[in-house]
Each structure stands twice: as structure tokens, then as C-alpha cells.
């Protein structure tokens, strides 16, 4: 089993062999890797690259980057829907939640976020996206990206 750690300072992902409790490889991914999410198949990993306005797609078997996709607005955190069809990314500069199809990276929707925003999670059924911030527990965005439906305090 492996664990992965984003190394913002040197643009790599550290690959850690859990059985040996040590780093076995550093994989170059791009400028300021920040957050990591795995697709439901366990074959691909998605990494936000804050310093490049992109996210990288990494093949977990080969341990290399297979593609990068431009996402202007300083991509910060990300999560993948349970069905593996949608990638949600928070954008720091735009204060926005972006939903993209994993197949083809087509924009499904956008929703405004409070500033500052941190962390992102989906409900187990994928019907709600939760985005936390420093001042309150966060906002709840409908996965359809229509409008902010509620705020949790």
C-alpha cells in the first residue's frame, strides 16, 4: 500500500511505502501541488497545482503524470463524485466552486463561495458538496450546481 504527500515547495508528490514507513519516490507533477483526490477505480489520482492554474492527472500504476488541465483561478481543494463522473475544485482567486466532467473536463457548473474557503467533501450519495471556511462550518452546494441551498453554522 502507498500513501501520497503533496510537496508544494518542490513541485513533487512524495510516494510513501506504508509497510516500510518511508518515501520510495518523488514524482514531479508541477508548480505548487496542494490537494489530492482519487477516482473511484483507484487507477488515477488528481492533484491541484496552485502555482500553475492547473490540475494534474496521475496514473497510479505507472506513477507518472498522464495529463494536465488548465483551471484559471488558483485551484485549491478537490473532490470526486462517488459515481466518478464529476470533479469539484475550489478556486481561491475566483472564490468559486467549479464542477467538471472527468471525461473531457467539460465545465458542468460554477457556484460562488465565501472567502476564505477551505476543505471540500461530498455527501456519500454525491447529492451535496460541502465547502468549509474559517468563519463558520461552511456552505452546502447542491451537486447540480444550481445555487447555494443552505449554510451550516
Amino acid at each position: 500500500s502507498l500513501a501520497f504527500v503533496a510537496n508544494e515547495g518542490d513541485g513533487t508528490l512524495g510516494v510513501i511505502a506504508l509497510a516500510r514507513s518511508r518515501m520510495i519516490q518523488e514524482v514531479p507533477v508541477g508548480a505548487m501541488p496542494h490537494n489530492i483526490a482519487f477516482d473511484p477505480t483507484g487507477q488515477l489520482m488528481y492533484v491541484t497545482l496552485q502555482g500553475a492554474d492547473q490540475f494534474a492527472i496521475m496514473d497510479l500504476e505507472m506513477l507518472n503524470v498522464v495529463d494536465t488541465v488548465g483551471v484559471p483561478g488558483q485551484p485549491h481543494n478537490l473532490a470526486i463524485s462517488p459515481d466518478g463522473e464529476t470533479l469539484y475544485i475550489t478556486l481561491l482567486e475566483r472564490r468559486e466552486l467549479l464542477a467538471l466532467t472527468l471525461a473531457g473536463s467539460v465545465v458542468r457548473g460554477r457556484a460562488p463561495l465565501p472567502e476564505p474557503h477551505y476543505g471540500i467533501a461530498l455527501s456519500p450519495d454525491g447529492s451535496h458538496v460541502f465547502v468549509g471556511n474559517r468563519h463558520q462550518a461552511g456552505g452546502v452546494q447542491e451537486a447540480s450546481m444550481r445555487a447555494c441551498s443552505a449554510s451550516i453554522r
Side-chain angles (χ1 to χ4, degrees):
S1 291
L2 300 175
F4 299 88
V5 178
N7 300 315
E8 285 189 8
D10 63 6
T12 65
L13 286 180
V15 182
I16 300 167
L18 295 175
R20 299 190 330 210
S21 295
R22 66 181 169 105
M23 186 161 20
I24 58 170
Q25 187 174 348
E26 285 188 276
V27 180
V29 290
M32 288 182 66
H34 182 73
N35 203 336
I36 299 167
F38 300 90
D39 80 335
T41 69
Q43 296 175 344
L44 298 173
M45 176 173 41
Y46 295 78
V47 183
T48 54
L49 302 174
Q50 285 187 198
D53 279 351
Q54 298 176 323
F55 65 87
I57 304 169
M58 187 169 156
D59 180 303
L60 289 171
E61 185 177 334
M62 301 301 295
L63 294 179
N64 66 343
V65 173
V66 294
D67 200 5
T68 56
V69 178
V71 184
Q74 197 177 16
H76 186 62
N77 290 311
L78 71 167
I80 296 175
S81 63
D83 63 10
E85 292 183 12
T86 306
L87 177 65
Y88 296 93
I89 303 176
T90 60
L91 303 175
L92 286 177
E93 287 177 357
R94 292 185 176 196
R95 294 187 308 233
E96 188 173 69
L97 176 64
L98 178 66
L100 298 171
T101 61
L102 281 179
S105 300
V106 176
V107 174
R108 282 193 151 161
R110 298 175 181 274
L113 292 175
E115 183 182 15
H117 53 271
Y118 303 98
I120 184 172
L122 286 113
S123 61
D125 66 358
S127 65
H128 289 84
V129 180
F130 301 91
V131 180
N133 69 54
R134 186 180 331 187
H135 305 296
Q136 60 185 13
V140 181
Q141 298 287 343
E142 297 219 9
S144 66
M145 301 298 293
R146 289 195 180 110
C148 188
S149 61
S151 184
I152 300 171
R153 295 193 193 270

